Amino acid sequence: MPNNTSKTGVRESSDIESDAHLPTESGNFRIAVTSDENGMEHSLLYTEGFTKSDNPLIRIHSECLTGDAFGSLKCDCGAQLKKSMQLIQQEGAGAIVYLRQEGRGIGLESKIKAYALQDEGYDTLDANLALGLPADARDYKIAADMLKSKGIKRVRLMTNNPLKINGLRKNGIIVTDRISHISGMCKSNIEYLKTKKTRMGHLLEID
Ligand SMILES: [Zn+2]
């Protein structure tokens, strides 16, 4: 009987690693979960080849309940998440760092308030500013720490956002390549994407 099993057969939770197999529609992954100092739980979704790779394919995805779970077309998050899972499966060695930074870090309730302002004609940036909130409140230290915890020092990053590249570099991860990541562009989100390009410095090949 393992050491962490009591006489009653109940395992000690603190002795069990939060890291397990996760079959998905896109293929087989493992999932590891880490809590930050605010109690937010962040996930690392990775393939078997990830920890053996010298320079894996990585996507850092910030939680978007409306896009990821409900298939919202107001943004491209759901399509980007799905595409990154498929590309990582094709590659064989890669991971998605799924950060609980809803609404570019302002939270779901504030994001929906910003959507209400967007219904009145504000763009995604001005809506945040009108609410007295930052345009982008995300932080990437926890993402870098999660990669380092699996022995990863260098990555190829799927992103259009220079802040993510800088966020990893600042926290000790070498980003050797940026891989353009465009998916799910449609008429419901084209203005949102244009604002990200023209006002927030995202590297998007759109006019
Ligand atoms: Zn979204």
Side-chain angles (χ1 to χ4, degrees):
M1 193 174 279
N3 291 338
N4 58 0
T5 305
S6 72
K7 282 177 198 152
T8 57
V10 176
R11 303 273 293 274
E12 292 291 335
S13 174
S14 57
D15 289 336
I16 300 170
E17 204 178 350
S18 182
D19 189 326
H21 181 60
L22 190 75
T24 76
E25 289 172 353
S26 304
N28 289 325
F29 287 91
R30 291 190 66 84
I31 182 168
V33 178
T34 305
S35 296
D36 67 21
E37 67 264 21
N38 301 315
M40 297 300 284
E41 296 176 312
H42 309 283
S43 299
L44 184 74
L45 192 68
Y46 65 100
T47 59
E48 294 287 352
F50 166 69
T51 50
K52 297 179 202 93
S53 173
D54 171 49
N55 195 4
L57 186 62
I58 300 295
R59 171 76 184 160
I60 297 180
H61 188 90
S62 296
E63 177 182 29
C64 174
L65 176 77
T66 47
D68 299 343
F70 300 148
S72 163
L73 299 177
K74 267 187 83 69
C75 58
D76 53 346
C77 304
Q80 285 195 314
L81 178 60
K82 198 162 193 179
K83 184 181 176 188
S84 56
M85 289 174 73
Q86 289 164 348
L87 289 174
I88 284 167
Q89 281 293 329
Q90 279 170 26
E91 176 95 4
I96 293 162
V97 185
Y98 190 91
L99 298 176
R100 304 291 301 284
Q101 303 192 122
E102 175 67 70
R104 296 197 300 270
I106 64 174
L108 184 59
E109 191 174 1
S110 293
K111 181 176 93 168
I112 301 305
K113 286 181 182 176
Y115 278 7
L117 290 178
Q118 289 171 42
D119 288 344
E120 294 173 15
Y122 285 72
D123 71 21
T124 184
L125 175 57
D126 284 336
N128 278 30
L129 301 180
L131 290 167
L133 297 166
D136 194 332
R138 291 177 290 183
D139 177 72
Y140 299 105
K141 182 177 184 304
I142 187 87
D145 288 348
M146 289 166 80
L147 292 169
K148 284 189 260 185
S149 76
K150 294 291 182 191
I152 303 299
K153 298 187 181 79
R154 307 185 328 142
V155 302
R156 289 172 296 128
L157 191 64
M158 292 184 271
T159 189
N160 307 315
N161 184 356
L163 289 178
K164 287 187 183 171
I165 299 171
N166 294 339
L168 284 187
R169 284 183 175 154
K170 199 168 73 176
N171 289 292
I173 297 285
I174 298 165
V175 180
T176 62
D177 302 275
R178 178 186 83 87
I179 294 142
S180 175
H181 194 61
I182 296 176
S183 187
M185 201 181 289
C186 69
K187 71 176 189 314
S188 298
N189 61 36
I190 190 71
E191 291 305 321
Y192 158 85
L193 292 170
K194 282 182 182 171
T195 301
K196 277 185 149 183
K197 176 180 177 174
T198 58
R199 303 193 63 200
M200 301 180 77
H202 284 225
L203 307 165
L204 289 162
E205 293 86 35
I206 49 174
D207 299 320

